């Protein structure tokens, strides 16, 4: 195994280890009610009658729509930087195998610059793509007593409480 292949394998393993950390997702929610009142914050819990955004409670029967997106959008930029740096670094190594540099210093400088440019481009792409992931939840038109239950069922997987319950079941 060559030095470059070993380095690439080490970086991929480090990325996979980073990706497998058991942390729950936190979701940022923006609630718009029928009377145009807006609440924004972390979606912490949803009960049979209210949705809890940080320390505020909004009755489910008054909700017009809820926009949900991940609270930690920097993760997409970090993932993009890692993938971009690894990809361009690998392509630089493959390119060097076809036409060798005369000096190992030039090879190291070329590899470093190429990986840094790829990481920067990947971070920008990840940051631009990250905020696109959002979900709009609206109450399904039904009987008034079913609207709250319908919203509760749609929102429950995104709450901090539900995320922690899932993590508690996974951890030994």
């Amino acid at each position: 195994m060559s030095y470059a292949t070993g380095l690439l394998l080490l970086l991929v393993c480090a990325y996979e280890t980073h990706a497998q950390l058991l942390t729950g997702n936190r979701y940022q929610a923006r609630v718009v009610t029928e009377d145009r009142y807006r609440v924004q914050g972390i979606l912490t819990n949803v009960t049979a009658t209210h949705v809890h955004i940080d320390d505020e409670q909004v009755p489910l029967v008054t909700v017009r729509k809820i926009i949900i997106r991940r609270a930690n959008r920097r993760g997409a930029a970090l993932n993009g930087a890692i993938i971009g740096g690894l990809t361009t670094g690998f392509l630089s190594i493959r390119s060097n195998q076809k036409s060798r540099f005369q000096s190992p210093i030039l090879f190291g400088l070329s590899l470093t610059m190429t990986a840094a440019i790829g990481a920067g481009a990947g971070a920008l792409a990840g940051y631009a793509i990250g905020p696109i992931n959002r979900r709009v939840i609206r109450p399904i038109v039904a009987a008034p007593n079913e609207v709250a239950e319908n919203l509760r069922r749609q929102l429950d997987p995104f709450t901090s409480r539900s995320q922690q319950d899932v993590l508690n079941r996974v951890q030994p």
Side-chain angles (χ1 to χ4, degrees), residues 39-109:
V39 178
Q40 186 169 343
I42 299 295
L43 180 62
T44 55
N45 197 9
V46 61
T47 62
T49 58
H50 290 83
V51 61
H52 300 261
I53 306 293
D54 289 333
D55 294 330
E56 200 162 340
Q57 297 180 11
V58 179
L60 286 172
V61 294
T62 65
V63 170
R64 181 173 177 220
K65 70 179 177 180
I66 299 176
I67 301 168
I68 297 175
R69 61 178 59 166
R70 285 184 190 227
N72 184 8
R73 295 186 292 190
R74 286 181 287 175
L78 178 63
N79 290 342
I82 291 171
I83 291 170
L86 287 175
T87 303
T88 56
F90 176 74
L91 292 175
S92 176
I93 291 170
R94 295 293 291 176
S95 172
N96 181 45
Q97 290 176 346
K98 293 180 182 175
S99 60
R100 299 216 177 258
F101 284 99
Q102 293 180 2
S103 167
I105 295 172
L106 289 175
F107 170 69
L109 186 61

Side-chain angles (χ1 to χ4, degrees), residues 11-171:
L11 290 174
V12 169
C13 289
Y15 173 73
E16 288 299 321
T17 303
H18 167 72
Q20 292 179 4
L21 294 175
L22 288 176
T23 57
N25 295 322
R26 293 179 51 185
Y27 291 93
Q28 183 83 22
R30 186 175 353 154
V31 178
V32 180
T33 62
E34 292 294 336
D35 59 350
R36 305 283 183 187
Y37 177 70
R38 296 174 189 261
V39 178
Q40 186 169 343
I42 299 295
L43 180 62
T44 55
N45 197 9
V46 61
T47 62
T49 58
H50 290 83
V51 61
H52 300 261
I53 306 293
D54 289 333
D55 294 330
E56 200 162 340
Q57 297 180 11
V58 179
L60 286 172
V61 294
T62 65
V63 170
R64 181 173 177 220
K65 70 179 177 180
I66 299 176
I67 301 168
I68 297 175
R69 61 178 59 166
R70 285 184 190 227
N72 184 8
R73 295 186 292 190
R74 286 181 287 175
L78 178 63
N79 290 342
I82 291 171
I83 291 170
L86 287 175
T87 303
T88 56
F90 176 74
L91 292 175
S92 176
I93 291 170
R94 295 293 291 176
S95 172
N96 181 45
Q97 290 176 346
K98 293 180 182 175
S99 60
R100 299 216 177 258
F101 284 99
Q102 293 180 2
S103 167
I105 295 172
L106 289 175
F107 170 69
L109 186 61
S110 171
L111 178 62
T112 303
M113 294 302 290
T114 305
I117 291 169
L124 285 174
Y127 187 77
I129 292 171
I132 294 174
N133 299 333
R134 71 178 188 142
R135 183 171 184 168
V136 179
I137 296 176
R138 298 177 192 273
I140 295 175
V141 178
N145 58 348
E146 295 176 5
V147 169
E149 179 61 20
N150 180 289
L151 274 174
R152 186 193 66 76
R153 287 183 181 175
Q154 290 184 62
L155 291 171
D156 191 48
F158 300 103
T159 62
S160 298
R161 179 197 47 79
S162 176
Q163 294 289 318
Q164 194 59 44
D165 289 346
V166 168
L167 287 176
N168 289 339
R169 285 184 287 209
V170 171
Q171 293 176 347

Side-chain angles (χ1 to χ4, degrees), residues 1-13:
M1 180 183 330
S2 71
Y3 173 75
T5 307
L7 180 63
L8 184 63
L9 182 62
L10 178 69
L11 290 174
V12 169
C13 289

